[in-house]
Amino acid sequence: MELVKKIYQSIEKVNLKAVKGYDLENQSPFYRYVIFGTGQKRQSDALIGYLKEELKGAYQIRGIEGKSSNWLLIDCGDVIVHVFNSEERE
């Protein structure tokens, strides 16, 4: 899936740790893929910028939740990205 590839490219740029992705195509009616990663606020903010740039055109970010907390959710339509700080993820 091209969208997942673009998201992983952006994640690599910000060096999130413990990145895990799960294909939920036949398990969820809301999204096809979910990605979890661990990072700091600066990395989360940078990821949003990279995703906006990377997804320009065919894809878009539908929503962002938790920008001022220890957990960030980025809704990219068929793919949901969760970024936790290390304490929250534990």
Side-chain angles (χ1 to χ4, degrees):
M1 174 189 237
E2 185 68 22
L3 176 57
V4 173
K5 181 180 175 183
K6 289 179 177 284
I7 292 170
Y8 273 113
Q9 289 171 345
S10 295
I11 288 171
E12 287 177 8
K13 290 178 183 177
V14 299
N15 296 318
L16 292 184
K17 304 296 181 208
V19 177
K20 299 285 183 183
Y22 301 95
D23 185 348
L24 302 174
E25 184 173 3
N26 297 320
Q27 299 174 18
S28 173
F30 303 108
Y31 44 86
R32 295 179 60 187
Y33 205 87
V34 63
I35 300 171
F36 297 92
T38 302
Q40 300 304 317
K41 172 121 175 70
R42 185 176 65 230
Q43 290 170 294
S44 297
D45 292 341
L47 179 60
I48 293 168
Y50 284 125
L51 284 173
K52 285 180 179 178
E53 183 179 310
E54 189 72 38
L55 302 182
K56 208 182 308 183
Y59 306 105
Q60 66 179 359
I61 295 175
R62 293 185 180 177
I64 300 171
E65 298 291 331
K67 284 179 76 173
S68 61
S69 70
N70 296 326
W71 162 75
L72 178 71
L73 179 142
I74 306 170
D75 180 352
C76 298
D78 285 339
V79 181
I80 302 295
V81 180
H82 296 274
V83 180
F84 297 91
N85 72 16
S86 55
E87 296 83 27
E88 194 70 28
R89 185 152 181 195
E90 287 178 17

